[in-house]
Amino acid sequence: MDFSTAESAFVRCKDYQGIQFVKSILDINNETVKKAEVQAYFKNYEEVDRIYLTTDRLMSAIDLHRILGNSFRVIELLKKGDFLEVSEMEEAWNGVGDYYFDRQLWNEAVNYYEKAHNEVQIAECYYMLEDYAGLERLLNDLPENHKLLPELGSMFSSVGMCEQAVSAYVKSNKLNAAIECCTTLNQWKMAISLAQKYDIKDVDSLLSQYAGYLKQEKSIFNVVELYKKACKFLHAALLLYKFVKDLPEKHKDPLLLRKIFVLVGILVEEYKSNRKVSNFDRSDITDLGISLEEEIALQNIAPRLIDDPWRGAKAYHFFMLAQKHLYQGYMDAAMKTALHVREYEDILNLEDIYSLLALSSCANRAFATCSSALMRLESLETISTEERSKYETLAAEIFVKHPPKDSRSNTVHCRGCVESIPDWYTSCPNCNLNFPVCVASGRPIMNPSLQWTCLQCHHSAFKQEMLTRSCCALCHCTLLIPV
């Protein structure tokens, strides 16, 4: 090899790097290494590899392929060596993993990253493969406060896996990130639980902000769902109650209102179960941005909701049940249920109540009851003069033909005082004993041995009525145990 001629040629070509290369070659004393360096300069890497291996320079060959990025050959050569360094092998595995990763061959890449114990790239491959079970295994294997944990939390959060994301954030001691993840994914119950467990005070303010946004969007039922997920059952119930009260009269669909009041009842029952209270606790109402005290007159509404959360549901339930009996031709049952509906004058429209009672009692030939209902209709202050005149005309037409007397009146004996009372009475006027009303038929239950009670709404029905039903007639709670 004529290095002086090579140097002169590089000078004439003005190749400064070539000149420097010749000088570096001249500083090498070993002829074999010189020959290998020359072959490497001309990119004859296979020849360089052969030279190193034939002269027992394994590490030089490894260094060559490491510089070239040929990790496959590095692994092959490392396995030939007598002393296998773990760190060098892991570096080679990483190189192979990077090769497959760059080509989006995630399955192959993750195998080599696992051999190299490269958790960061393993997580990235699992994420690209959508192998969330693998990510969860990795999460469980990592120690606390590992640098990868926040990134795992972000990965889980991005695909809606809130529980795993929270686990990652908590394991890395990033509690605020965990709560933010819960609120972003609408897992308010989990956020509240975390806040209580780690004594964090910011969740209610976040809940307030989100509730305020939903209210501005007029998403009333989304707000209710939000409060329910956050275990703010009483807030949700009060919000629904106000929503019903604010509905225009023409938009009051009885079926919809019945469903809403059933939901109110369920929410209050959950509140009672969750708080284990039987009376209204004003201190439990917390500020949620727009104060509930400004939205609802708590002094008047909340105690009634707590004491009898099913009152609204019962009002519309019996109102619709009376109409059902009427359309099915059960006039006596319709009238007796309509008589019971009178107890809900604070919820139902008075004209609707007494119109239904007048119609059902007239059809049942109970003209005394019909007369009382028509008299009440005529005395209503909310009706117009024209409507009052129509009721008076109707009453005259009926009672010209039929005297205001009930054709029949069934009586039963009160089990408390043995006094004879009409069979539709819900309490004995003599001993003040109350009788539960069957939510399936609308009839009072005089005999406790015939009574079935719902586990959710705690209202009763005749056992005979429940034999053909799969759920409670009032709250629709599924019957887990046959009657």
Side-chain angles (χ1 to χ4, degrees):
M1 292 183 290
D2 188 353
F3 291 108
S4 60
T5 303
E7 185 177 11
S8 298
F10 281 131
V11 170
R12 291 177 182 275
C13 293
K14 299 179 181 180
D15 188 344
Y16 179 74
Q17 290 182 342
I19 297 170
Q20 292 298 111
F21 172 71
V22 172
K23 288 183 177 180
S24 65
I25 290 294
L26 293 175
D27 291 336
I28 299 173
N29 296 323
N30 191 301
E31 290 297 323
T32 303
V33 176
K34 284 183 178 181
K35 187 183 295 186
E37 289 294 332
V38 170
Q39 293 298 328
Y41 180 80
F42 290 107
K43 300 182 180 180
N44 296 325
Y45 301 121
E46 291 183 2
E47 181 63 19
V48 177
D49 182 87
R50 187 191 64 78
I51 292 171
Y52 282 143
L53 292 179
T54 54
T55 57
D56 200 23
R57 292 180 175 273
L58 181 61
M59 291 308 299
S60 297
I62 291 173
D63 291 339
L64 168 70
H65 289 291
R66 186 179 288 124
I67 293 170
L68 294 174
N70 187 0
S71 299
F72 293 96
R73 182 60 175 163
V74 171
I75 292 171
E76 186 180 339
L77 294 173
L78 283 171
K79 289 180 178 179
K80 291 182 179 180
D82 295 331
F83 302 99
L84 190 62
E85 291 289 340
V86 175
S87 59
E88 291 182 349
M89 201 65 184
E90 287 183 350
E91 183 182 350
W93 293 129
N94 268 323
V96 176
D98 291 341
Y99 172 85
Y100 287 119
F101 187 90
D102 292 340
R103 288 156 180 78
Q104 300 183 7
L105 300 172
W106 319 115
N107 272 319
E108 288 79 1
V110 75
N111 292 329
Y112 287 98
Y113 285 137
E114 286 175 348
K115 293 179 180 180
H117 304 102
N118 188 341
E119 291 94 351
V120 175
Q121 289 301 100
I122 290 172
E124 192 67 31
C125 288
Y126 281 147
Y127 186 69
M128 300 305 294
L129 287 167
E130 299 182 4
D131 184 0
Y132 304 117
L135 274 178
E136 196 167 353
R137 288 195 303 272
L138 180 61
L139 169 63
N140 295 331
D141 292 339
L142 290 176
E144 291 187 0
N145 295 318
H146 192 279
K147 64 179 182 180
L148 181 59
L149 288 171
E151 182 62 26
L152 286 179
S154 177
M155 289 178 178
F156 283 122
S157 177
S158 68
V159 294
M161 298 177 69
C162 186
E163 186 176 345
Q164 291 81 355
V166 167
S167 178
Y169 286 130
V170 170
K171 203 170 181 180
S172 62
N173 202 29
K174 294 187 179 296
L175 301 178
N176 288 332
I179 291 176
E180 185 178 352
C181 171
C182 291
T183 55
T184 301
L185 297 176
N186 286 334
Q187 297 297 322
W188 296 98
K189 185 175 182 179
M190 193 180 296
I192 295 291
S193 176
L194 281 172
Q196 292 173 345
K197 184 176 180 180
Y198 296 101
D199 196 25
I200 297 174
K201 307 295 183 183
D202 297 337
V203 175
D204 276 350
S205 62
L206 291 171
L207 185 63
S208 170
Q209 292 172 11
Y210 188 50
Y213 166 76
L214 290 176
K215 287 178 184 177
Q216 289 177 0
E217 297 293 319
K218 298 183 179 179
S219 304
I220 182 68
F221 293 105
N222 288 338
V223 179
V224 170
E225 182 67 18
L226 171 66
Y227 284 154
K228 186 176 182 295
K229 286 183 177 180
C231 296
K232 303 287 185 181
F233 303 115
L234 187 58
H235 298 74
L238 291 171
L239 197 61
L240 281 174
Y241 196 94
K242 181 179 183 295
F243 171 72
V244 171
K245 289 295 183 182
D246 291 344
L247 272 180
E249 192 67 33
K250 62 181 180 180
H251 292 155
K252 289 192 174 182
D253 174 20
L255 180 59
L256 173 62
L257 294 180
R258 179 181 178 276
K259 291 178 179 179
I260 292 176
F261 275 118
V262 167
L263 179 55
V264 168
I266 292 172
L267 288 169
V268 175
E269 292 294 345
E270 288 192 34
Y271 166 77
K272 287 182 177 181
S273 176
N274 195 46
R275 299 294 183 184
K276 299 190 183 302
V277 297
S278 57
N279 296 317
F280 175 64
D281 181 8
R282 188 177 180 83
S283 64
D284 185 61
I285 300 295
T286 56
D287 181 21
L288 294 177
I290 302 174
S291 174
L292 286 172
E293 293 184 359
E294 296 175 0
E295 294 184 5
I296 304 172
L298 290 179
Q299 293 287 353
N300 298 324
I301 298 177
R304 175 165 289 179
L305 278 180
I306 298 297
D307 295 339
D308 189 4
W310 297 96
R311 182 172 175 77
K314 287 187 292 183
Y316 284 98
H317 172 72
F318 288 121
F319 179 67
M320 295 172 65
L321 182 61
Q323 295 182 66
K324 179 181 177 182
H325 287 325
L326 188 63
Y327 280 102
Q328 290 179 341
Y330 304 125
M331 305 307 175
D332 189 57
M335 184 192 76
K336 290 173 181 176
T337 306
L339 284 167
H340 181 56
V341 172
R342 293 180 303 171
E343 297 178 13
Y344 304 101
E345 292 185 0
D346 58 318
I347 297 175
L348 298 172
N349 182 282
L350 293 178
E351 189 175 5
D352 291 341
I353 293 173
Y354 289 99
S355 295
L356 178 61
L357 179 58
L359 178 61
S360 58
S361 58
C362 182
N364 195 40
R365 304 189 67 79
F367 295 109
T369 305
C370 179
S371 175
S372 299
L374 286 171
M375 289 174 63
R376 185 62 192 275
L377 285 170
E378 292 169 15
S379 66
L380 292 177
E381 297 178 357
T382 55
I383 63 174
S384 64
T385 304
E386 183 181 354
E387 290 173 327
R388 183 175 288 105
S389 177
K390 288 181 179 180
Y391 284 129
E392 291 172 351
T393 303
L394 178 62
E397 290 178 359
I398 293 174
F399 299 118
V400 163
K401 299 178 181 179
H402 307 283
K405 294 181 180 179
D406 291 345
S407 60
R408 64 179 184 274
S409 178
N410 298 327
T411 60
V412 294
H413 292 290
C414 170
R415 70 171 187 270
C417 62
V418 200
E419 184 76 17
S420 291
I421 57 174
D423 62 353
W424 56 268
Y425 272 25
T426 57
S427 64
C428 176
N430 186 46
C431 64
N432 295 323
L433 179 64
N434 293 320
F435 310 114
V437 179
C438 173
V439 293
S441 66
R443 293 179 292 144
I445 305 173
M446 305 291 185
N447 187 350
S449 64
L450 304 177
Q451 179 178 333
W452 167 89
T453 303
C454 176
L455 297 177
Q456 177 169 270
C457 66
H458 312 296
H459 285 78
S460 302
F462 283 107
K463 290 181 179 179
Q464 188 68 27
E465 294 286 346
M466 299 305 296
L467 289 175
T468 57
R469 294 177 179 269
S470 60
C471 62
C472 173
L474 178 62
C475 68
H476 302 286
C477 176
T478 304
L479 302 183
L480 300 178
I481 303 174
V483 178

